[in-house]
Amino acid sequence: MDYRYYKREHKRRSMGFILQTALILSIIAVILVGLIVLTIHSSNNLMDVEGKVVSNVPSNILPSYSTCSFESYDGQTNLSGWFFKCSDPISTVIVVHNVGDNRLQYGVDMVDMVERLLDSNYNVFLFDLRNSGDSEGDIVGYGYLEWQDVLGAISQVKKISVTTDVILFGFGTGVTASLLAYDMLPPINAAESELSNYDSDIVALGYDQGYIKGFIFDSPAKNSDDYIIPVVEQKEFLGNFTKRTVPYAIRISSGIDSSLNIAAEISRLSIPVCIIYGAHDTFVGADKINQLLTERMRISEHLTSSVMVPGAGYLESYTLDRELYIDTVINYLNKFFD
């Protein structure tokens, strides 16, 4: 074979390979850029949820309460809430609502829950998370920002209540916010050497994880990102392609490195937990909640209460069977704290 011909042919083939590779890399780059643009656009949309206005509840329906204005742990967001107190409280229940809702998670119907809690000798603190109801804030974080609001609420209750502990009642993304707030606190009776690992502002709060005596969870997901993924799939353009990247973008925007394994967190909690969910929940998945509950029961059955409401979807249990719902909560409180 002519050496010059072979050299020309080799050069031609090499050039063709280089061009093909460059084309493939260019296509990949365009796809990646497009994915990044879509992710940023979608995450901005999801974090810019308009807060729901607090319902006008007739004064003769609401039990007596005091209005509270207080700061989130971030020191930059002013929050608003209502404090309901009874004469001889056992503890204070702090309600942490779902993203897009407000202090009255179920509107005026929430009054029935408040009254039963007061009758059972529990103070109640209802408040609006950031960018909700009457609270300040421009964006939401699906729990990744709101944990700071939960710490702000706990600090406020510590100031105004005679109780020496609180019980957190989380709905949907309020589960994430509540658990993250718990994780940010030092463990009970932490040594000085352990406290040095925590931010000085956290230590200055003056309480640790022991101040949270129990959790009530309505519709807990297996993972904190599971509250975001279905929204991306349902509402965002090409959501099936960005459903994994959008939660990551929201976390990074909120200053949180990784998602929270809620199932693992709940399974290892050494304090009483109550889990409520709907049998027809297709949002975070009733089957996944069943798995979460099974693991929790395996490890801490003696510290667990639960109910699955037939026919209820995501965050529909209270609306569908209010009596069963409230009875479950009160029975849990009576069993572990009365």
Side-chain angles (χ1 to χ4, degrees):
M1 177 183 290
D2 190 310
Y3 176 73
R4 286 175 297 177
Y5 171 80
Y6 173 80
K7 189 175 182 180
R8 285 197 304 271
E9 185 65 16
H10 177 72
K11 183 177 181 181
R12 184 183 67 80
R13 290 181 179 179
S14 298
M15 185 62 67
F17 175 76
I18 292 172
L19 290 173
Q20 287 179 353
T21 302
L23 178 60
I24 291 171
L25 291 176
S26 297
I27 292 172
I28 293 174
V30 169
I31 292 173
L32 288 176
V33 169
L35 183 63
I36 292 171
V37 170
L38 274 175
T39 296
I40 294 173
H41 178 73
S42 294
S43 61
N44 287 339
N45 282 344
L46 266 62
M47 296 182 78
D48 192 26
V49 175
E50 186 174 351
K52 184 185 292 185
V53 177
V54 178
S55 306
N56 289 321
V57 184
S59 57
N60 63 325
I61 292 179
L62 274 174
S64 177
Y65 68 90
S66 57
T67 301
C68 302
S69 181
F70 59 99
E71 280 191 344
S72 172
Y73 170 73
D74 65 15
Q76 301 174 354
T77 311
N78 196 51
L79 307 174
S80 179
W82 293 334
F83 179 59
F84 302 83
K85 65 178 181 178
C86 53
S87 57
D88 188 21
I90 297 169
S91 184
T92 299
V93 176
I94 299 177
V95 174
V96 187
H97 65 78
N98 184 50
V99 66
D101 291 305
N102 57 44
R103 69 186 77 177
L104 293 173
Q105 176 68 47
Y106 294 109
V108 178
D109 291 341
M110 194 72 180
V111 174
D112 289 344
M113 172 69 78
V114 173
E115 289 179 337
R116 284 288 301 277
L117 288 170
L118 293 172
D119 290 342
S120 300
N121 296 319
Y122 288 87
N123 289 339
V124 182
F125 192 65
L126 306 181
F127 76 105
D128 300 321
L129 296 167
R130 62 187 59 217
N131 194 34
S132 301
D134 296 328
S135 291
E136 295 179 351
D138 300 318
I139 58 175
V140 299
Y142 294 81
Y144 294 127
L145 282 172
E146 289 79 2
W147 65 267
Q148 300 175 88
D149 304 343
V150 175
L151 288 184
I154 295 173
S155 296
Q156 177 65 14
V157 167
K158 190 172 184 292
K159 290 178 184 177
I160 63 178
S161 177
V162 298
T163 57
T164 57
D165 50 58
V166 298
I167 297 164
L168 297 184
F169 193 160
F171 295 82
T173 56
V175 174
T176 299
S178 298
L179 285 172
L180 281 176
Y182 182 80
D183 285 348
M184 296 297 176
L185 295 172
I188 302 174
N189 301 322
E192 202 66 36
S193 57
E194 289 181 273
L195 292 177
S196 63
N197 297 322
Y198 291 84
D199 189 283
S200 59
D201 289 337
I202 288 287
V203 177
L205 291 174
Y207 54 88
D208 54 27
Q209 289 180 346
Y211 199 72
I212 301 173
K213 289 297 185 182
F215 286 102
I216 305 170
F217 296 130
D218 186 331
S219 305
K222 287 190 70 174
N223 186 282
S224 51
D225 282 355
D226 292 343
Y227 291 114
I228 304 174
I229 291 172
V231 181
V232 179
E233 289 177 320
Q234 296 166 15
K235 295 186 177 181
E236 294 303 309
F237 178 65
L238 296 179
N240 283 328
F241 292 96
T242 59
K243 64 183 181 181
R244 302 295 175 186
T245 56
V246 170
Y248 173 78
I250 292 176
R251 290 201 310 270
I252 296 304
S253 298
S254 304
I256 300 294
D257 294 333
S258 59
S259 63
L260 182 68
N261 187 334
I262 293 175
E265 288 279 328
I266 291 178
S267 69
R268 61 174 175 252
L269 284 172
S270 58
I271 56 178
V273 172
C274 178
I275 296 173
I276 305 171
Y277 64 108
H280 289 175
D281 184 345
T282 57
F283 186 80
V284 296
D287 56 331
K288 294 180 180 179
I289 301 176
N290 276 327
Q291 295 169 18
L292 178 157
L293 180 58
T294 298
E295 183 63 12
R296 169 70 188 180
M297 295 292 283
R298 184 183 69 82
I299 298 174
S300 300
E301 182 177 1
H302 64 295
L303 289 174
T304 308
S305 293
S306 68
V307 68
M308 179 181 70
V309 179
Y314 177 64
L315 295 177
E316 291 180 348
S317 298
Y318 187 84
T319 304
L320 197 64
D321 197 333
R322 195 183 315 176
E323 184 176 352
L324 172 61
Y325 193 108
I326 295 177
D327 284 346
T328 299
V329 171
I330 300 303
N331 289 338
Y332 157 78
L333 296 173
N334 290 341
K335 179 179 180 180
F336 295 109
F337 308 106
D338 196 3

